[in-house]
Amino acid sequence: EAQVTQNPRYLITVTGKKLTVTCSQNMNHEYMSWYRQDPGLGLRQIYYSMNVEVTDKGDVPEGYKVSRKEKRNFPLILESPSPNQTSLYFCASSLIQGAVNEQFFGPGTRLTVL
Amino acid sequence: SQQGEEDPQALSIQEGENATMNCSYKTSINNLQWYRQNSGRGLVHLILIRSNEREKHSGRLRVTLDTSKKSSSLLITASRAADTASYFCATDGPLGGFKTIFGAGTRLFVKA
């Protein structure tokens, strides 16, 4: 089954404790992306990746890191989480055919930073 | 920065009625996409319209794109209670880049 998986689905942590949210897709998509969703703000892109070892900032990259060492995986790293990073996070992937096409979304990770 | 902005923010209709949602954006695009989200879940792609297209249909969905006005509309005909969800438009970034920019969404409630 074609899918995007994220882990963990729920996470409660404390300020400053490094964490990683994993994302994996089995569709051989070049494009992968991380978004955060906050009430009333829709989805805001954090980072995206065009292919292995190619990443770029979205609109809200501060406080986050990513890596793309393999095509299927795109982990999101919070080196020193803060309460303002409490949010619902989504990973997505897509084929690129001149432009980003239909994005397939993971189920989301709800993060709370105390 | 928010490129896509949906209008209205919320919409409540009776089952069987049509629902229209609008999206405006600021810069040139390669394509515009509409997504649906059921409460707190992942987004599901509905339809993609390219910048050289003016109208597209998929089942009960009809999307229009007016690049001169930088706007798009999503029409859901003969709505059902199961259409209750949030709907988002998404565009690629300025100058056809590979950023994706979502609007804040329209919350649709269809009463049975």
Side-chain angles (χ1 to χ4, degrees), chain B residues 26-83:
Chain B
K26 295 186 175 69
T27 65
S28 61
I29 59 172
N30 286 312
N31 63 54
L32 184 144
Q33 303 182 44
W34 285 91
Y35 289 84
R36 166 197 168 120
Q37 182 184 37
N38 287 89
S39 184
R41 300 195 176 185
L43 278 72
V44 174
H45 184 264
L46 294 176
I47 198 164
L48 179 153
I49 186 165
R50 303 196 188 281
S51 58
N52 60 355
E53 297 175 310
R54 292 297 166 258
E55 187 170 313
K56 206 161 182 182
H57 297 255
S58 176
R60 293 184 295 112
L61 305 180
R62 172 177 169 255
V63 169
T64 61
L65 179 64
D66 186 335
T67 53
S68 66
K69 294 181 180 177
K70 293 187 171 56
S71 67
S72 173
S73 67
L74 170 68
L75 168 67
I76 303 173
T77 59
S79 62
R80 305 166 182 167
D83 294 329

Side-chain angles (χ1 to χ4, degrees), chain A residues 9 31 33 35 37 40-45 48 50 57-59 88 90 96-108 110, chain B residues 1-3 9 30-31 33 35 37 40-46 48 50 86 88 90 92 96-105:
Chain A
R9 294 288 314 280
Y31 187 90
S33 180
Y35 301 91
Q37 184 175 28
L41 294 178
L43 276 78
R44 293 180 291 168
Q45 192 172 42
Y48 62 95
M50 301 289 291
K57 296 177 181 178
D59 281 335
L88 179 57
F90 289 102
I96 294 180
Q97 295 163 324
V100 179
N101 281 275
E102 171 186 358
Q103 293 190 45
F104 292 79
F105 280 80
R110 191 168 290 280
Chain B
S1 61
Q2 291 287 336
Q3 161 127 292
Q9 289 187 329
N30 286 312
N31 63 54
Q33 303 182 44
Y35 289 84
Q37 182 184 37
R41 300 195 176 185
L43 278 72
V44 174
H45 184 264
L46 294 176
L48 179 153
R50 303 196 188 281
S86 292
F88 297 89
D92 47 13
F98 293 100
K99 272 188 181 182
T100 303
I101 302 173
F102 280 85

Side-chain angles (χ1 to χ4, degrees), chain A residues 72-91:
Chain A
R72 64 183 293 125
N73 296 323
F74 190 46
L76 179 70
I77 303 155
L78 285 71
E79 294 268 2
S80 183
S82 62
N84 65 13
Q85 292 178 298
T86 292
S87 189
L88 179 57
Y89 291 86
F90 289 102
C91 179

Side-chain angles (χ1 to χ4, degrees), chain B residues 7-28:
Chain B
D7 160 48
Q9 289 187 329
L11 182 60
S12 182
I13 58 174
Q14 291 291 137
E15 212 168 26
E17 294 181 338
N18 296 341
T20 300
M21 289 160 266
N22 303 297
C23 169
S24 61
Y25 57 92
K26 295 186 175 69
T27 65
S28 61

